[in-house]
Amino acid sequence: MKLIVAVVQDKDSSRLSNALVEEDFRATKLASTGGFLRAGSTTFLVGVDDEKVQSVLDIIKNNCQARDQLVAPVSPMGGNADSYVPYPVEVQVGGATVFIMQVEQFNQF
């Protein structure tokens, strides 16, 4: 058995959740925040048998798309600096970061 931990952008979370339900996969959703952009994200925990891991990965890949977004960089001083003029920078956001871990034991009560 494997535990799949997928961190996805909030914009993709509803679509991914619906797709997992349609394919009869149970998932636990946790609200999370990304460190780089400090933007909202959702972490999915999905427990599956080894032979179903690829099916879940395909669902994640098909429902979590990377996209380009303009963001204003944070002040290098860590706060508001009057002389600092941030210019928007284009970065890639979205997609999914996925971890797959071996599960020694699974109990459901």
Side-chain angles (χ1 to χ4, degrees):
M1 174 156 271
K2 302 283 193 227
L3 173 64
I4 299 173
V5 179
V7 181
V8 304
Q9 191 177 33
D10 278 344
K11 290 180 181 180
D12 296 326
S13 68
S14 292
R15 185 172 49 251
L16 177 58
S17 181
N18 292 338
L20 289 169
V21 168
E22 284 177 17
E23 296 295 325
D24 293 324
F25 290 108
R26 292 182 177 189
T28 298
K29 287 173 53 172
L30 305 171
S32 51
T33 303
F36 176 61
L37 297 176
R38 294 177 180 82
S41 59
T42 303
T43 300
F44 285 84
L45 305 176
V46 186
V48 296
D49 292 323
D50 291 359
E51 62 271 4
K52 295 184 179 180
V53 169
Q54 191 57 51
S55 297
V56 173
L57 291 175
D58 291 341
I59 292 169
I60 294 169
K61 184 176 181 179
N62 292 333
N63 288 279
C64 301
Q65 303 300 317
R67 59 188 72 77
D68 291 331
Q69 177 178 323
L70 288 175
V71 296
V74 178
S75 167
M77 309 273 286
N80 262 346
D82 293 331
S83 62
Y84 179 69
V85 181
Y87 293 100
V89 178
E90 189 171 64
V91 296
Q92 191 176 60
V93 298
T97 301
V98 181
F99 303 91
I100 302 172
M101 295 170 269
Q102 182 66 38
V103 175
E104 287 186 34
Q105 184 176 351
F106 170 76
N107 296 308
Q108 190 171 9
F109 303 108

